[in-house]
Amino acid sequence: MEWSDLPLSRSAIDRAGVRRTEPGLLDRLVDDPQARVVLVRRGLVATVPGPVADQVMLAVLPPAKVVPVVGPAAEWLLLGVADDGTAYLGLHVPEPEAHADLEGIPDEEPFAVVAPHLRWSPLREIGTDLSPQDVGLATTAVALAAWHASHPRCPRCGSATVVEESGWVRRCTQDGSLHYPRTDPAVIMAVTDVDDRLLLGHAATWSPGRFSTLAGYVEPGEPLEQAVRREVREEVGVLVGDVEYVSSQPWPFPASLMLGFRGRALTTEVTVDGVEVTQARWFTRRELDDAVRAAEVVLPSRTSIARALIEDWFGGPLTGPVEGPGWSEGR
Ligand SMILES: [Zn+2]
């Protein structure tokens, strides 16, 4: 595979950063019948059934259909502009209590009236379904919505903040300080030994049989290469020498950027920390293939960079009777 094909890294949309400060831009786009809206609610993205069975497409609605449902308090975000000039907006759909005053709108499915086939999908499960344009829009919308939802107040003084720059800044209403969306770097690594076996671990919070590459957040003041070595040493007691960067993928659940590495182990004795990681072992290609086919090992979802790192080492797709969900990479 090509590393540029990582499901959530295939974005093909102009993020239009230079337009974010245009006065009144969002107001104009909300009134623009050509504009389209991507909806996020509780971290899920709005989709509609696709042309292929069991696949979905991103739901993109004209603003005129969305405004009556979400009411005037909605916070709009500029996601980008497509090659054909269509501007795409993101919208974090308020929780039911926030639009309880809107008559005739059911709490559980606020869009049932205007978009009957709309459903709410986890991006980590549908990332491979979406086109490059739609996956870029959805990934950005989910990431930005999560940041807005968790940063309603100023970290300096606790006052309310308001959205500016087309959804890309929050400004404190008291002290005027500006706050920008956060992305948390996390390293994720395919560690191999001298016999080219791959090291996979099982996290304490996972259901039995799930194995993946080790991963962890980069700490303040820490270079990426040291983060790779530290995480592997802490979680399974293996020392890593050479470290090589491979590729990255946004993982906005809620705010991670996964930085994929290959690492060469200097030692092979595994001692799990018993807290984050409760099992870890080395696999030959044959052993992993057999274990996946027998459903003794379930790998992470095809949306994840972990899956791509594992299959890159394996040399092709690994297929078993059970498909893993896209559980949390990193913490
Ligand atoms: Zn403040």
Side-chain angles (χ1 to χ4, degrees):
M1 62 155 265
E2 297 292 328
W3 287 103
S4 57
D5 291 340
L6 285 172
L8 302 188
S9 293
R10 296 172 294 134
S11 178
I13 188 96
D14 174 0
R15 300 167 74 89
V18 294
R19 295 194 59 188
R20 292 172 191 163
T21 52
E22 275 181 35
L25 176 66
L26 287 179
D27 289 340
R28 285 199 303 281
L29 291 176
V30 170
D31 286 335
D32 180 355
Q34 306 301 320
R36 290 294 179 266
V37 185
V38 176
L39 300 165
V40 178
R41 186 175 186 229
R42 296 174 182 164
L44 306 175
V45 64
T47 59
V48 290
V52 179
D54 298 328
Q55 287 202 355
V56 297
M57 297 190 306
L58 191 63
V60 287
L61 303 177
K65 274 196 166 187
V66 176
V67 172
V69 181
V70 297
E75 290 179 347
W76 299 86
L77 321 162
L78 177 64
L79 298 178
V81 178
D83 287 345
D84 65 2
T86 304
Y88 285 88
L89 299 169
L91 184 71
H92 192 212
V93 178
E95 285 306 297
E97 59 271 25
H99 57 86
D101 56 330
L102 297 171
E103 237 172 86
I105 302 299
D107 278 356
E108 271 318 297
E109 182 35 85
F111 288 90
V113 180
V114 295
H117 300 296
L118 186 140
R119 63 176 96 158
W120 300 97
S121 304
L123 177 60
R124 64 176 82 190
E125 288 176 18
I126 62 161
T128 51
D129 287 8
L130 304 181
S131 71
Q133 175 170 304
D134 286 355
V135 87
L137 292 169
T139 305
T140 302
V142 168
L144 259 189
W147 177 71
H148 282 292
S150 59
H151 291 78
R153 297 198 165 269
C154 175
R156 290 190 189 177
C157 73
S159 299
T161 53
V162 292
V163 177
E164 291 192 346
E165 297 196 15
S166 304
W168 289 86
V169 173
R170 296 189 77 98
R171 183 175 54 79
C172 175
T173 52
Q174 282 302 310
D175 60 27
S177 59
L178 300 177
H179 306 281
Y180 294 86
R182 287 281 312 274
T183 296
D184 300 328
V187 290
I188 183 162
M189 39 277 178
V191 174
T192 51
D193 71 0
V194 68
D195 295 321
D196 208 23
R197 296 182 302 170
L198 181 67
L199 179 61
L200 298 180
H202 170 83
T205 55
W206 295 348
S207 53
R210 306 205 184 288
F211 277 82
S212 186
T213 50
L214 301 180
Y217 282 96
V218 181
E219 295 188 340
E222 183 178 46
L224 299 176
E225 294 82 355
Q226 288 182 20
V228 170
R229 297 187 184 104
R230 175 183 55 76
E231 284 289 343
V232 177
R233 191 182 67 242
E234 286 177 359
E235 292 185 343
V236 301
V238 170
L239 300 181
V240 172
D242 287 343
V243 165
E244 173 194 14
Y245 173 73
V246 179
S247 193
S248 70
Q249 174 166 256
W251 198 246
F253 315 111
S256 298
L257 174 65
M258 305 306 299
L259 299 149
F261 285 83
R262 295 188 193 100
R264 180 64 78 168
L266 301 173
T267 62
T268 56
E269 188 181 330
V270 170
T271 310
V272 295
D273 65 12
V275 179
E276 286 190 49
V277 174
T278 49
Q279 293 175 58
R281 56 167 286 199
W282 297 97
F283 289 88
T284 65
R285 289 178 178 78
R286 176 74 185 270
E287 285 167 349
L288 186 60
D289 193 24
D290 288 349
V292 169
R293 285 177 192 278
E296 291 162 9
V297 163
V298 179
L299 297 178
S301 85
R302 297 190 179 281
T303 306
S304 67
I305 191 171
R307 182 64 169 252
L309 286 166
I310 292 167
E311 292 188 341
D312 174 63
W313 162 82
F314 183 72
L318 278 152
T319 307
V322 183
E323 196 58 35
W327 66 81
S328 175
E329 293 185 330
R331 261 196 294 254

